[in-house]
Amino acid sequence: MPKWTALAVAAVLSAAIFGIRPSAFGIADSQQPVYRSGAELVEVDAIVTDRGGRFVKDLRLDEIEILEDGRPQRLQALYLVERGIATLASTGPGFEAPLTASTPVQRAFFFLVDHEHLTPGSLNRVRTGVEQFFSIEFRDGQDLAALYAIGASSQVRMTTSREELLSAVRRVKPRGDLVARAGDMRDWPRIINDVEALRIDQGDEAVLRSAVMRACAEEQSRNCAEQADLLLREKSKRLVRDADAATNRTLQALSVAAKGLAALKGRKTLIFLTEGFSADSHRGQLGIVTGDAGRAGVAIYVVDARGLDKGGRSIQEGAPPNLDGLLSSAFDTREDPGDQLANGTGGRVIRNVNDGAKAIAAIAADTGTYYVIGYAPDAAAMDGKYRAIQVLVKREGVVVRARRGYVAGPPAAPLIAATRSTNPAPGSNPAPGTPAHEAPGTTHQAPGPLSATSMVSSASLPAVRPNASARVRELIEIPNRVAPSEAAGAAASRGWSHYEKGDLEGAARELTEATAIPGAPAWAFYALGQAEFGRRRFADAVARWEHVRSMVPEFEPVYFDLVDGYLQLDRSRDAIAVLRAAERRWPADAEVYNALGVVQVRRGALDDAVESFAKAIKAQPESALGYFNLGRAREMRYVRSRRYVPTTGGWVGNAGDRRDAIASYKRYLEIGGPFEQSAREGLARLEWKN
């Protein structure tokens, strides 16, 4: 069954780009990314440069020290990855390396266009750079990349196709609402930037007086000061509300992108294209995003799209020079979030570069060469807790950039893996006692990096939904209600074989043929829905899954798949109807209520969501997940209620929601679970006195 555990505020991004059932449909990711391999190793990728910024290529393992939670660790292996090839540099005593020769390592890039904070001029600058990157730096058929423009239709899922990526880049256009917002800021009485609006809304009389003086200098009238004062207050409140929502959407997109990339092995590079934003009221959320990316092995590179044009002047042409700089140095906090995102994940911030192509090329060069260090942790307990990592190099004059930690969870695939395994298609005849989808004697090895010989066409592999195999096996075990057809079964098995290889087009072709034959098994319709969903043909996927639900109404997983599909089609009412049907069939299933609450959060119905999460707890009183979800929903409702009180210089909100959220988080910590750090961060946000 799916685990509805991470808030679904950016589910469209996750499913559209990664083509998989997004783990972001609950309130916290159920599969926390880890860096622990089946060989009991933790792998850390690191970029080591000299003071001139040149990569140091001759490091030895004995020159490196890794501290985990402050304790030195026993190093096992050092790989140098250069131009997509991983070469074993040195090993520790008694360590048998999984390979001794050079091995291809696939590079993965995710371009996130921050449409919430990009003016047309800046967008054109970075768009040109991204287009040149895909034309020159990107290895067609080998590298893996995706592009997503926040709040726009410009997107392409993870793919190795250069043409597909270039087409997506060319579709990126300035958002009309952002242009209108820039015009709103320029209209009289003019506001310089979001920071000035925030200060006015917070009751900073000095900033308000300066803005009034500027307005009256630009348009003199009898009652100028009085009118400007009133309009500036109203305008600032509106702009702050809009800016707060935009920042929230940006941080949500960053978090979901990082969690989606966690499914890929090795180093992942997220290139964040933005003019920056103020995160004064989102510090806690920013920290969570940075932690999500760091734990997922995602290095965030921030490209400041303003280039050499700072202080927000790109949206205030024609303003008097002596007024333009009023807040550019005193209150400009736009660079702060970028620094935190980059420094916390081992990335960089690229600033003061007007040539977008040079900025992106600098990132490509920086990510092309790095070390992978493997060590055996002395703390062997897989307790789901976060472990801080510090990489030290015993050589003078070097600079090290590396991720800062990992989550100690179950074994995961190492970056340098030897082989990938395959499974037979459903419908084959396994030995007695063997699961229907598992060949006798199959060795389960985690998939490693794609090499030139194992690459699948169109990089469809990341589009294969991770739970599909288990669900198909479950469905096969349900007896057919119609006479089975051997021809349909054979065609369906061929289609599933295509699906397992990542060939979604071939899978859809064969499975469509199979389902057209009378007596086709229910699993064939279900698998076809999976293939259509991976191809982003969500309406077709929903149609197939509804047919499965009518054939086998007791097959619970299809209800959750339908919710996925309906949310992709922006049909949340239909998603809720499916979950209500599931509730009637399984009235004591906590997961149904968790899913329902998540969809209600997506619709902004926090009151209904709180009620649903409370039902999840009632259905399963000792379920830590229910308390975590309830705490997060109550925290969101509390944040929504908050307002700034100028007379006291503080924020006030619904004290009941704050109290109940704290209680829910504490109950979660008492029961225990994999989201301990997130729960503690929530408590820290709620208990902070401001």
Side-chain angles (χ1 to χ4, degrees), residues 576 580 596-597 600-601 603-614 637:
I576 288 178
R580 292 298 187 194
L596 182 58
Q600 289 163 339
V601 168
R603 299 187 73 186
L606 293 182
D607 293 344
D608 293 338
V610 166
E611 180 181 351
S612 294
F613 294 137
R637 196 165 67 177

Side-chain angles (χ1 to χ4, degrees), residues 117-126 193-195 272-278 302-316 327-329 331-339 349-356 359:
H117 305 98
L118 273 178
T119 55
S122 295
L123 175 61
N124 290 333
R125 182 185 299 119
V126 295
N193 55 26
D194 293 336
V195 181
F272 182 44
L273 308 169
T274 183
E275 286 189 10
F277 52 90
S278 173
V302 180
V303 177
D304 187 341
R306 293 176 293 174
L308 296 174
D309 180 22
K310 297 300 178 76
R313 282 181 284 275
S314 60
I315 60 171
Q316 46 186 314
L327 298 176
S328 61
S329 59
F331 298 119
D332 187 5
T333 60
R334 288 177 163 225
E335 296 178 353
D336 223 5
D339 287 336
V349 179
I350 308 296
R351 294 193 180 97
N352 301 316
V353 179
N354 278 340
D355 188 336

Side-chain angles (χ1 to χ4, degrees), residues 181-196:
R181 187 173 187 275
D184 186 19
M185 295 185 76
R186 286 197 302 267
D187 289 344
W188 191 90
R190 184 168 53 86
I191 290 180
I192 290 178
N193 55 26
D194 293 336
V195 181
E196 183 180 47

Side-chain angles (χ1 to χ4, degrees), residues 158-296:
M158 299 299 292
T159 180
T160 61
S161 170
R162 172 184 290 144
E163 189 53 44
E164 194 175 348
L165 291 161
L166 285 172
S167 176
V169 175
R170 291 162 186 155
R171 292 197 303 270
V172 176
K173 305 295 182 184
R175 262 179 43 189
D177 59 335
L178 189 62
V179 176
R181 187 173 187 275
D184 186 19
M185 295 185 76
R186 286 197 302 267
D187 289 344
W188 191 90
R190 184 168 53 86
I191 290 180
I192 290 178
N193 55 26
D194 293 336
V195 181
E196 183 180 47
L198 178 62
R199 294 297 184 263
I200 293 174
D201 189 54
Q202 290 178 339
D204 192 321
E205 293 297 328
V207 175
L208 176 60
R209 284 195 301 272
S210 296
V212 170
M213 292 174 60
R214 178 177 67 239
C216 291
E218 293 173 351
E219 183 173 324
Q220 297 180 0
S221 66
R222 181 175 180 180
N223 298 318
C224 173
E226 182 179 345
Q227 292 177 0
D229 183 286
L230 178 62
L231 292 175
L232 283 166
R233 291 178 189 272
E234 294 177 349
K235 189 175 189 178
S236 295
K237 186 177 295 295
R238 182 178 69 253
L239 291 173
V240 166
R241 183 183 63 244
D242 293 346
D244 185 75
T247 297
N248 190 47
R249 288 190 293 268
T250 293
L251 292 175
Q252 288 171 354
L254 281 164
S255 180
V256 173
K259 290 177 179 178
L261 288 168
L264 301 177
K265 308 307 173 189
R267 181 180 177 87
K268 286 84 66 174
T269 302
L270 193 159
I271 301 173
F272 182 44
L273 308 169
T274 183
E275 286 189 10
F277 52 90
S278 173
D280 287 352
S281 59
H282 293 267
R283 290 297 172 187
Q285 188 180 3
L286 182 64
I288 292 173
V289 171
T290 304
D292 287 341
R295 294 164 208 154

